[in-house]
Amino acid sequence: MAQNTEVVVIGGGYAGVMAANRLTQRDDITVTLINPRPVFVHRIRLHQAVGGSQDMVVDYRDVLAKGVRLVVDTAARIDAAEHSVVLEAGGAVGYDYLIYAVGSGSADPGVPGAAEFAYPIAGLEEAQRLWSVLDSAPATAAVTVVGAGALGIETAAELAEAGRTVTLVCGEVLGPYLHPRVRRSIAKRLAKLGVTVLEGPDARVTAVTRDAVRLGSGRELPSGVTVWTAGFSVPDLAVRSGLSTDALGRLLTDETLTSVDDVRIVAAGDSAAPSDLPLRMSCQAAGPLGAHAADTVLSRIAGEQPASINVGFFGLCVSLGRRAATVQLASKDDTANRFSIRGRLAVKIKESSYKGLLKHLSDEARKPGSHTWPFKDDKRRQLLQAKRAEAPATAERAA
């Protein structure tokens, strides 16, 4: 009788669900998914929570394979020596292989008053709390959005379209990822919506109070509600468990997504740092990385050598309210170029991405092993070679 293999996936986001579903293609694998919530969070819709939308919550029955056991709890620690995950509620779940897909969340602002008076939006509970605050605030209350990445831009546009007076504080530049040409286009749309955009070194936030935001220039902006979207962090589970991580706490792996410490631990999504050259934190990378993590585990179970990752990008979709969007196109190595898609087509692409991500997960649940990703980054190998060549030189200079 064939021995059953226990695989535990920590984290039920895009990467974790994709990995769990893909593992069910073998009948001799028992898959357990550990997640702190009983529902799937469609994270790229969280900015819409500021208007009261609930479309970011999806029943796991719609995206998770029936053969996957869902444990609603939080992983407190990974005991690699005992091959088990210790749960916060008590007890532990044993594994033969572990997929680490804990995702990312709001970063510590590190700015006086921000933790007390600013509202993050990177998680479900945070977004719901912000909606409650906005719902009870006067319609005339000034809103300040701190952070001008995609989440900050989308949140500012959503609020402005709803009639709020919004200031977007960029710190340095609007949309650091964007090509300058595309950045100007997005700035025009934000201006049309009535969003005041503050850029440059003087636009750095130095303090947040209950009713104001202080900038590096000394200027104070009245702010009835301050929304914090600047930066992302990853949970410290790997650090607490004694596993090797990069400076942000992402699990260090080789190019097969296998932990540098333990061949039985594989990472995926925002919390993975393959070769200390992590991919951009995004749903775009999460699905392929989740699928690849599952493939690595399946290869090891079969006694085969896992393949190296090869995940490319197409760009970035940015919502600018419900009636406009911009698709910033990019090279497969994730370098933004001067081309973009705007107008109704961009809105359709953005809307299709909401449905498409869920469809990818549900399709993999229905037919495990079917998910593929067309974009490949052939330049990554060159980056790795350059990094490895630089390592001896750096060590020699340090000596």
Side-chain angles (χ1 to χ4, degrees), residues 226-269:
T226 301
V227 185
W228 198 276
T229 71
F232 291 95
S233 67
V234 299
D236 64 351
L237 177 61
V239 174
R240 286 186 281 113
S241 302
L243 298 170
S244 297
T245 67
D246 69 358
L248 289 181
R250 292 173 288 207
L251 188 70
L252 283 176
T253 75
D254 64 13
E255 285 295 282
T256 72
L257 300 180
T258 303
S259 165
V260 298
D261 301 312
D262 192 325
V263 73
R264 292 183 176 272
I265 299 177
V266 180

Side-chain angles (χ1 to χ4, degrees), residues 15-85:
V17 170
M18 178 61 75
N21 288 346
R22 199 171 185 88
L23 289 165
T24 62
Q25 61 190 285
R26 284 187 58 145
D27 295 332
D28 58 349
I29 296 178
T30 299
V31 185
T32 300
L33 178 68
I34 300 173
N35 192 65
R37 302 179 192 86
V39 292
F40 176 83
V41 178
H42 200 5
R43 189 172 172 185
I44 62 170
R45 300 201 84 144
L46 281 178
H47 67 281
Q48 296 178 341
V50 298
S53 172
Q54 295 298 314
D55 290 341
M56 73 293 297
V57 178
V58 179
D59 195 309
Y60 268 118
R61 288 176 295 184
D62 295 332
V63 294
L64 193 62
K66 293 181 180 179
V68 177
R69 180 171 73 107
L70 176 64
V71 173
V72 182
D73 206 334
T74 299
R77 183 171 57 88
I78 299 168
D79 189 335
E82 295 296 327
H83 298 165
S84 69
V85 179

Side-chain angles (χ1 to χ4, degrees), residues 172-208:
E172 285 290 346
V173 65
L174 175 69
Y177 176 86
L178 303 171
H179 185 277
R181 182 171 180 265
V182 180
R183 181 178 298 122
R184 289 192 293 271
S185 171
I186 287 179
K188 288 180 182 178
R189 173 61 186 175
L190 290 173
K192 188 175 182 180
L193 287 169
V195 177
T196 299
V197 177
L198 301 181
E199 298 181 89
D202 288 343
R204 288 185 176 275
V205 175
T206 58
V208 179

Side-chain angles (χ1 to χ4, degrees), residues 143-148 152-153 156 166-170 174 190 195-199 229:
V143 179
T144 303
V145 178
V146 181
I153 292 170
V166 182
T167 299
L168 179 60
V169 180
C170 302
L174 175 69
L190 290 173
V195 177
T196 299
V197 177
L198 301 181
E199 298 181 89
T229 71

